Amino acid sequence: MKKRFFLAALPALMSLLLSTPAWSQIKVGVNVSATGAGASLGIPEKNTFALLPKEIAGKKVEYIILDDASDTTTAVKNARKLISEDKVDLLIGSTIAPPSLAMIDVAAESETPMISMAASASIIAPMDAKRSWIFKTPQNDSHMSTAIISHMADTGIKTVAFIGFNDAYGEGWYKEFSKLAELKKIKILANERFARPDTSVTGQVLKIMASNPDAVLIAGAGTPAALPQKTLKERGYKGKIYQTHGVANNDFLRVCGKDCEGTFLPAGPLLVATQLAADNPVKVSALKYTAAYEKAYGAGSVSTFGGHAWDAGMLLDNAVPMALKKAQPGSKEFRAALRTAIENTSNLAVSHGIINMNANDHVGFDQRSRVMVQIVGGKWKLISSGY
């Protein structure tokens, strides 16, 4: 009788076991731009996930990595798959701003916390119900704009021309930069745009040259940002050229070549970790990531963009023990607890700075997350950590 009862109950028992969350495992859905216009940023990010811990607080961690090819539609498709099919506890991605912005609705609708690796402040601001689920690891464009404007003012620049991507990255930079320029009495003489896949910006550069600015700010990211700079040099521009932290990798140096020489840009301290003062609070964490990445991929291979992925991993590692006090992985309650734990991150030293988040600030960086750098002899040279 007992045997018959057990056999009859077996299908129901198996069904229950299969439907129960895998409490011993945390699933992280990663969406990167490993191909397309954002590839020079996305590839080091993808590489970095192989270096992240496979176990946190006694729970195994699985990273499920998809490529959105720098495309917003693919990013949304990937995010939906990771949430509905793979049942992830956390989304990380995307690499660049447009796909990241497209993923916000998906994350918020499913109440899944998301950490973007893109810079645009519009990913996390203005804070609202949807963005309460969204975090990011790169410094805000507003934060880096302050460093550029301060450097311009200190070096006597009175007029500037702007050329940036015709998407959220370029628009975000112009919005922040133009406000600060007005405060510092620096006049913007031109405001031009170009698309990431463009192969010519001659028309835009001719307009900039005609305005005769003291300096030009190029608000692009990755290797596409080299195009305006090379065109400016070809046309004989002699003023100062500034780039954003979106170009802080060796692929940009390779593509831009000699035309990069003398360029100024703000960057995360990771870019020049070995040049930081011994008492810099970010140096130890930045060098730890540098050592791990270069051990796996070779000397000189480290990238600030890979650092954004590393820092996302550090946020997860820091938050999981707190979240586990509330619920187990695979549940709605765990996702909510993970979101809350990330939002309460305090004094966490990562590769790009010190993170102190709160309900209104989902990046949590202060001035310790930026330095001013100049390209000298084809290499990054720290010129100031005081901006």
Side-chain angles (χ1 to χ4, degrees):
M1 180 71 176
K2 290 181 179 179
K3 184 177 181 180
R4 286 200 301 271
F5 175 80
F6 176 77
L7 291 173
L10 187 58
L13 180 62
M14 291 300 294
S15 177
L16 178 63
L17 289 172
L18 290 172
S19 64
T20 301
W23 286 351
S24 62
Q25 185 180 58
I26 297 166
K27 287 189 173 185
V28 180
V30 179
N31 187 58
V32 296
S33 302
T35 57
S40 67
L41 289 64
I43 291 171
E45 291 173 353
K46 182 179 179 181
N47 290 344
T48 297
F49 285 99
L51 310 177
L52 297 185
K54 304 301 186 291
E55 185 174 304
I56 300 174
K59 302 292 184 183
K60 293 181 180 178
V61 183
E62 179 185 4
Y63 302 94
I64 304 166
I65 302 174
L66 301 178
D67 175 19
D68 63 27
S70 309
D71 176 69
T72 56
T73 301
T74 305
V76 170
K77 180 181 176 182
N78 287 352
R80 292 196 183 282
K81 177 187 181 300
L82 290 166
I83 289 169
S84 62
E85 297 180 23
D86 297 302
K87 310 295 183 184
V88 299
D89 299 295
L90 172 72
L91 281 173
I92 298 180
S94 178
T95 298
I96 56 178
S100 292
L101 289 165
M103 292 168 61
I104 290 175
D105 284 346
V106 182
E109 286 168 9
S110 62
E111 297 185 344
T112 303
M114 170 181 140
I115 303 173
S116 173
M117 298 177 289
S120 176
S122 61
I123 296 166
I124 56 167
M127 184 56 65
D128 54 22
K130 289 181 179 180
R131 286 178 172 82
S132 69
W133 290 92
I134 314 301
F135 305 86
K136 74 184 190 75
T137 49
Q139 302 87 340
N140 280 340
D141 36 23
S142 56
H143 195 185
M144 294 304 208
S145 289
T146 305
I148 290 179
I149 283 289
S150 296
H151 187 269
M152 286 182 173
D154 289 350
T155 53
I157 289 172
K158 302 296 184 184
T159 60
V160 63
F162 179 94
I163 179 168
F165 284 158
N166 63 348
D167 60 25
Y169 189 81
E171 291 302 318
W173 260 94
Y174 185 76
K175 177 182 176 182
E176 298 300 331
F177 180 76
S178 60
K179 288 190 298 186
L180 294 168
E182 184 176 2
L183 289 173
K184 289 288 187 177
K185 310 299 183 185
I186 296 174
K187 188 175 182 180
I188 299 176
L189 302 179
N191 175 13
E192 299 294 328
R193 295 288 189 274
F194 69 108
R196 293 175 190 251
D198 282 353
T199 58
S200 174
V201 290
T202 300
Q204 297 96 314
V205 166
L206 288 175
K207 292 178 183 177
I208 288 172
M209 296 284 287
S211 70
N212 194 30
D214 296 334
V216 176
L217 170 60
I218 301 170
T223 53
L227 180 62
Q229 179 142 358
K230 292 181 77 67
T231 307
L232 282 163
K233 291 291 187 177
E234 288 168 3
R235 294 286 169 172
Y237 181 69
K238 301 299 183 183
K240 288 185 173 68
I241 296 179
Y242 289 78
Q243 291 271 1
T244 73
H245 59 315
V247 304
N249 68 8
N250 290 336
D251 270 351
F252 174 77
L253 292 180
R254 174 182 55 80
V255 171
C256 198
K258 60 180 176 57
D259 294 323
C260 286
E261 190 67 16
T263 301
F264 297 97
L265 65 145
L270 171 61
L271 186 67
V272 288
T274 59
Q275 300 175 47
L276 298 174
D279 61 352
N280 188 301
V282 185
K283 185 165 187 171
V284 171
S285 51
L287 287 177
K288 182 178 180 181
Y289 170 62
T290 300
Y293 194 92
E294 293 190 346
K295 181 180 179 181
Y297 300 107
S301 60
V302 74
S303 159
T304 61
F305 300 102
H308 299 318
W310 178 266
D311 294 351
M314 292 191 71
L315 281 172
L316 176 67
D317 186 66
N318 185 70
V320 163
M322 291 180 276
L324 287 172
K325 294 177 182 178
K326 303 290 185 180
Q328 291 295 313
S331 66
K332 178 180 179 180
E333 292 77 13
F334 180 75
R335 297 196 302 273
L338 192 59
R339 188 214 73 82
T340 300
I342 295 171
E343 186 176 83
N344 288 320
T345 300
S346 177
N347 203 36
L348 178 66
V350 297
S351 73
H352 276 281
I354 310 297
I355 295 178
N356 286 285
M357 289 194 189
N358 58 55
N360 294 311
D361 181 0
H362 277 194
V363 63
F365 280 138
D366 56 24
Q367 72 275 9
R368 294 172 292 181
S369 71
R370 68 185 186 209
V371 295
M372 279 300 292
V373 173
Q374 187 176 24
I375 300 173
V376 179
K379 296 180 180 180
W380 313 107
K381 180 181 179 182
L382 175 67
I383 58 172
S384 176
S385 57
Y387 288 104

